Amino acid sequence: MAEIFEQEKKKINFNPKELQRFFYFNSEQIVKDVTQGFQDFSANPKLTIQPNFHSMSRIDQIKLSGETLKEINSYKDQKYNYNTSLGKMIGEFQFPFVIPSGVHQMMFIPTIKYLGTEEQQKKWLPRIYSYEIVGCYCQTELGHGSDVQSLETTAEYDVSTQEFVINSPSLTSTKWWVGELGVWANHALVFAQLHIKGKKHGVHPILVQIRDLKTHQPLPGIVVGDIGPKVGYNVKDNGFIRFNNIRVPRENMLMKYSKVSKDGLFTQRGNPKIAYAGMLETRLGISCLFHRSLGRALAIGVRYSLFRKQFKTSDGVERQVIDYQTQQEKLFIPLADSYAFCASSSQIMSRFAEFQKEIEGGDFSNLNEMHIICSGAKAYHTEYPLAHMENIRLSCGGHGFSHYSGLPSIVEGFKPLVTLEGENTIMYLQVARFLIKGLTATLKGAERVPSSIQYLKAGLDFVETKLEADTISQILDLDVLKKILVVNATYQIKNVGMKMQKLSLEGKTNQQIWDTLIGIQLVDAAKAHMLYYTFINFYQQIVTNDYLSENSKTILKQLCRLFAIAKINEKPHGLIESGFINPSQISLLKQAQHSLYPSIREQALGLVDAFGFKDEQLRSALSISDGKVYETLLDWAKNQNPLNESYFAPGYENIQKMGQITPKPLL
């Protein structure tokens, strides 16, 4: 059946290599490195995961993940060492589990780089890169997660010994959910309430050794372990830890911006929020890398929908599932989103590189906006992909329920991302707070408004107008869609701002307003902003990247249109309430959405092949490149399933013994 894919490839009218570059941050070098990496990993049996992986116990899976990390870090003269961004990127796509050093690399190391002094970095980083020190990011507690300021773990400074004394004063102060803590880590960056001479100085990170470097046994006063199986991420050893009078040298507090002198004097420079710079980079990684797992799900879903045939047409020919409009909607909206998130990620990464140079030069003026961009993208780039992945799994019918489809592990592996490193609702509320402040500044005519919300000035004029569009072709104009999204975001931000003002005049406190009266509207406003922000990034990436041919730009513009229109149709209430659009235009928007499906259908295989994933990264019988879907399913079930190694399955003897029991008569 491989000829099906060959026939589909003949329909492709753009260069998939151009879109692969678009997918990987517009970088030819990254495409080259990732392509070579996929080939190298696939050629190594120790780095190719077999279909029986999901029949293994959790303990055996964790053991395999450790063996895999060791192999990666020694393979090809350490070319793909997990200290490199390339190694992390290949590993994310190659394995159905997270590599043990993910937190060590993405949170522990960046925090030390951002917050550690030059002397501390020279002292610790060589040992960290060599894995002599394996670290974790010890912030979340049993009783507090997103509310960092309410963390209960304490670090009392003892002036007489120049040490911090770390304690877990309550049950709820137990550190919880900490990745790499349960099994692997021997050090932890512990975020604790700093107390000096009876005075509190907020939450600060302190490097604490928690296990013996030779025996790996917990040190005296440390109670540590794994928190147990979860929904997804079961290979990740999320752990708990409690501290009982653990003494740590003063020099182990990260002191680039906050310092404690020998005699207990606390000083601070720069923006206090820089303390969360490590988390900022983690959110950047989540928002700009991990959503690409949606591309894997799409590659499986689209290829299987091209292969699978169900129900005959009037001339007796079975129809490809992908030719049903309902199936197209399940696949093409996620496809549009995937490209939109990739384009927006490229913009965000470029902005973050500029931001890093700014803070290195002591300029913290854009820290808050960068924090909001990363937080908003983290929420937006995980909420939609997770929903899409599950819908893609469902679109594959019964076979999508099998681990051999590759889809359940993608869904399960992605689920934690909507919660970890910032629960998404909290992220949206942080964005909303930024938007309300930005709206106030815009209304007051402030000279400097953050670049990401400068559209509000034009938006405040647009909301007083009506949409002039009477045909589908007018609706599909990208500049018209841009205006619609500006109005959608501006109206919702303005509307919730006015409601806040009204409630305040009625005597409601800010806490009442935010917590119990307008939280849902604030989240909606934040999502409307992120929709516009993602769209405009997508649009600009299409227009400004000169390596894209006209045919590539044409299909990308179709996806950009679908991204915008599908989101508008999903939640048009702001546009309706504002009076900017009328009922007939709502109907036009729906028609416009459906009109995009046929052109995307013709290019669907090329659009997912452009992601560059091979069989070894997809790990799916449903998308196998030789087209032998059913043969592969039967082979894996028959020959890769331990239950079929014997016709006398373990436990069956109990069924046999039941025959010796005289059954009670049914009443």
Side-chain angles (χ1 to χ4, degrees):
M1 298 296 288
E3 62 267 20
I4 290 177
F5 299 139
E6 293 304 318
Q7 292 168 9
E8 291 292 330
K9 287 179 181 178
K10 292 177 182 178
K11 301 176 184 178
I12 301 170
N13 65 7
F14 63 88
N15 184 351
K17 290 185 178 179
E18 293 178 3
L19 266 61
Q20 188 174 17
R21 180 175 172 182
F22 193 84
F23 185 72
Y24 287 109
F25 306 106
N26 301 308
S27 170
E28 281 187 294
Q29 188 60 50
I30 292 178
V31 170
K32 181 180 178 181
D33 290 343
V34 168
T35 301
Q36 185 62 52
F38 286 163
Q39 292 176 2
D40 288 344
F41 274 47
S42 299
N44 185 338
K46 293 182 179 179
L47 298 178
T48 303
I49 305 304
Q50 300 304 316
N52 66 356
F53 172 79
H54 295 287
S55 297
M56 297 169 64
S57 70
R58 181 174 180 237
I59 291 175
D60 285 340
Q61 289 181 346
I62 290 174
K63 181 181 177 182
L64 176 62
S65 72
E67 294 170 350
T68 301
L69 176 62
K70 180 182 177 183
E71 181 67 20
I72 292 172
N73 284 347
S74 60
Y75 187 46
K76 294 283 182 180
D77 196 27
Q78 298 192 38
K79 178 180 179 181
Y80 302 106
N81 190 297
Y82 242 57
N83 289 325
T84 67
S85 58
L86 177 61
K88 288 191 280 286
M89 184 178 292
I90 301 296
E92 165 62 20
F93 298 134
Q94 184 75 10
F95 308 113
F97 51 76
V98 285
I99 295 297
S101 68
V103 174
H104 175 85
Q105 297 291 347
M106 294 187 68
M107 298 190 71
F108 184 69
I109 291 176
T111 303
I112 288 176
K113 283 183 174 180
Y114 275 110
L115 304 183
T117 63
E118 187 174 338
E119 181 181 353
Q120 287 174 323
Q121 292 183 47
K122 287 180 179 178
K123 178 181 179 181
W124 294 327
L125 286 177
R127 298 173 65 198
I128 291 170
Y129 288 138
S130 69
Y131 293 96
E132 178 189 353
I133 291 177
V134 178
C136 60
Y137 189 90
C138 230
Q139 179 172 291
T140 299
E141 296 177 352
L142 194 57
H144 294 91
S146 300
D147 185 6
V148 176
Q149 297 308 313
S150 294
L151 295 178
E152 298 176 74
T153 302
T154 58
E156 183 83 34
Y157 183 62
D158 185 340
V159 177
S160 64
T161 62
Q162 296 181 30
E163 294 174 313
F164 296 107
V165 183
I166 313 295
N167 274 293
S168 303
S170 65
L171 171 65
T172 50
S173 69
T174 304
K175 295 294 184 182
W176 198 265
W177 283 116
V178 182
E180 265 126 74
L181 174 61
V183 174
W184 305 111
N186 53 36
H187 283 70
L189 270 178
V190 179
F191 283 75
Q193 297 283 358
L194 177 61
H195 295 179
I196 304 175
K197 300 176 182 178
K199 185 177 180 180
K200 296 181 180 180
H201 293 278
V203 175
H204 296 273
I206 299 171
L207 184 64
V208 181
Q209 183 177 344
I210 59 174
R211 289 184 171 103
D212 186 275
L213 297 186
K214 292 183 178 179
T215 67
H216 204 60
Q217 291 294 315
L219 296 180
I222 297 286
V223 177
V224 62
D226 179 86
I227 66 170
K230 307 166 290 289
V231 180
Y233 262 32
N234 272 322
V235 178
K236 175 62 69 179
D237 60 324
N238 296 88
F240 65 85
I241 190 168
R242 290 185 57 78
F243 305 93
N244 184 15
N245 292 323
I246 303 301
R247 288 186 168 268
V248 182
R250 178 184 66 89
E251 294 81 6
N252 279 29
M253 175 178 161
L254 301 189
M255 293 196 188
K256 187 173 185 178
Y257 298 104
S258 300
K259 295 185 179 181
V260 176
S261 67
K262 293 180 180 180
D263 58 1
L265 177 65
F266 175 80
T267 56
Q268 197 167 39
R269 72 179 183 89
N271 191 322
K273 290 184 178 179
I274 196 65
Y276 304 111
M279 183 179 289
L280 186 67
E281 187 161 320
T282 302
R283 288 175 184 168
L284 177 78
I286 291 171
S287 63
C288 293
L289 173 62
F290 288 95
H291 67 80
R292 283 167 169 74
S293 291
L294 175 58
R296 285 195 294 144
L298 281 162
I300 295 169
V302 168
R303 291 175 73 89
Y304 179 62
S305 295
L306 289 166
F307 165 83
R308 180 78 165 179
K309 295 180 179 180
Q310 289 287 283
F311 306 109
K312 294 177 180 177
T313 61
S314 57
D315 56 4
V317 178
E318 282 191 301
R319 189 187 299 276
Q320 288 173 279
V321 172
I322 201 169
D323 288 330
Y324 290 97
Q325 189 187 51
T326 52
Q327 188 77 347
Q328 291 174 2
E329 183 148 291
K330 293 174 186 176
L331 295 173
F332 296 167
I333 293 174
L335 188 57
D337 282 16
S338 183
Y339 275 92
F341 296 149
C342 288
S344 193
S345 295
S346 296
Q347 290 284 91
I348 294 170
M349 290 287 281
S350 296
R351 180 64 192 93
F352 191 80
E354 295 172 2
F355 165 72
Q356 285 180 307
K357 292 178 182 178
E358 292 169 2
I359 61 171
E360 286 170 5
D363 179 5
F364 298 91
S365 60
N366 291 311
L367 174 60
N368 190 40
E369 183 182 26
M370 195 71 244
H371 166 253
I372 293 303
I373 289 172
C374 290
S375 297
K378 185 269 173 187
Y380 206 65
H381 292 190
T382 57
E383 176 187 357
Y384 279 99
L386 178 59
H388 289 328
M389 289 173 188
E390 176 63 6
N391 284 332
I392 292 167
R393 187 191 68 76
L394 292 170
S395 78
C396 292
H399 291 317
F401 196 63
S402 168
H403 264 301
Y404 295 150
S405 73
L407 291 167
S409 63
I410 294 175
V411 176
E412 290 173 4
F414 199 84
K415 279 182 177 179
L417 296 176
V418 302
T419 303
L420 61 80
E421 304 319 319
E423 193 276 332
N424 280 2
T425 300
I426 302 298
M427 298 295 94
Y428 283 129
L429 289 172
Q430 289 179 359
V431 173
R433 190 177 298 276
F434 174 79
L435 294 174
I436 296 299
K437 289 181 179 178
L439 174 67
T440 302
T442 301
L443 289 170
K444 290 181 178 179
E447 291 185 10
R448 189 180 186 279
V449 175
S451 60
S452 60
I453 54 173
Q454 288 179 359
Y455 67 86
L456 288 173
K457 184 176 181 180
L460 289 169
D461 293 329
F462 292 160
V463 293
E464 304 300 328
T465 65
K466 307 289 183 183
L467 175 63
E468 296 180 2
D470 302 312
T471 65
I472 290 176
S473 61
Q474 288 176 319
I475 289 288
L476 290 174
D477 186 293
L478 285 168
D479 287 320
V480 170
L481 290 172
K482 174 184 172 182
K483 187 174 183 179
I484 293 173
L485 295 180
V486 167
V487 171
N488 182 50
T490 304
Y491 174 78
Q492 293 195 55
I493 297 166
K494 180 183 177 183
N495 190 43
V496 74
M498 291 173 62
K499 189 168 183 179
M500 288 176 65
Q501 190 175 39
K502 180 175 180 292
L503 290 168
S504 181
L505 291 173
E506 292 174 358
K508 300 293 191 296
T509 66
N510 280 338
Q511 189 169 20
Q512 283 178 305
I513 294 170
W514 277 81
D515 293 352
T516 65
L517 298 173
I518 61 166
I520 295 172
Q521 282 183 266
L522 287 165
V523 170
D524 283 346
K527 289 183 180 181
H529 163 74
M530 288 308 304
L531 169 56
Y532 170 74
Y533 182 77
T534 307
F535 169 84
I536 199 62
N537 285 342
F538 192 4
Y539 190 7
Q540 289 173 352
Q541 286 282 304
I542 296 170
V543 173
T544 59
N545 281 314
D546 55 13
Y547 66 83
L548 292 171
S549 64
E550 283 306 310
N551 282 356
S552 292
K553 287 185 177 182
T554 296
I555 190 60
L556 286 173
K557 286 179 180 179
Q558 290 291 76
L559 293 173
C560 190
R561 293 180 179 106
L562 180 56
F563 168 73
I565 294 174
K567 297 294 181 295
I568 293 167
N569 285 330
E570 181 183 308
K571 215 162 191 178
H573 68 276
L575 294 164
I576 296 171
E577 289 174 10
S578 68
F580 184 70
I581 60 175
N582 58 49
S584 64
Q585 289 168 332
I586 289 287
S587 178
L588 276 178
L589 282 162
K590 202 67 178 176
Q591 293 174 54
Q593 178 176 326
H594 297 159
S595 75
L596 294 168
Y597 295 162
S599 61
I600 295 173
R601 158 65 184 93
E602 293 301 297
Q603 308 303 318
L605 182 61
L607 288 168
V608 296
D609 279 358
F611 299 149
F613 300 126
K614 306 301 181 185
D615 290 346
E616 290 79 9
Q617 289 82 53
L618 299 178
R619 299 183 299 279
S620 172
L622 304 190
S623 61
I624 202 81
S625 57
D626 62 10
K628 295 181 179 180
V629 172
Y630 300 141
E631 294 90 336
T632 304
L633 277 171
L634 179 58
D635 173 56
W636 288 2
K638 182 181 177 182
N639 301 314
Q640 297 283 347
N641 182 354
L643 275 179
N644 291 328
E645 291 176 359
S646 169
Y647 284 104
F648 194 86
Y652 186 73
E653 66 274 10
N654 295 300
I655 305 297
Q656 289 181 316
K657 290 177 182 178
M658 287 175 62
Q660 303 169 13
I661 302 172
T662 302
K664 290 183 178 181
L666 295 175
L667 298 178

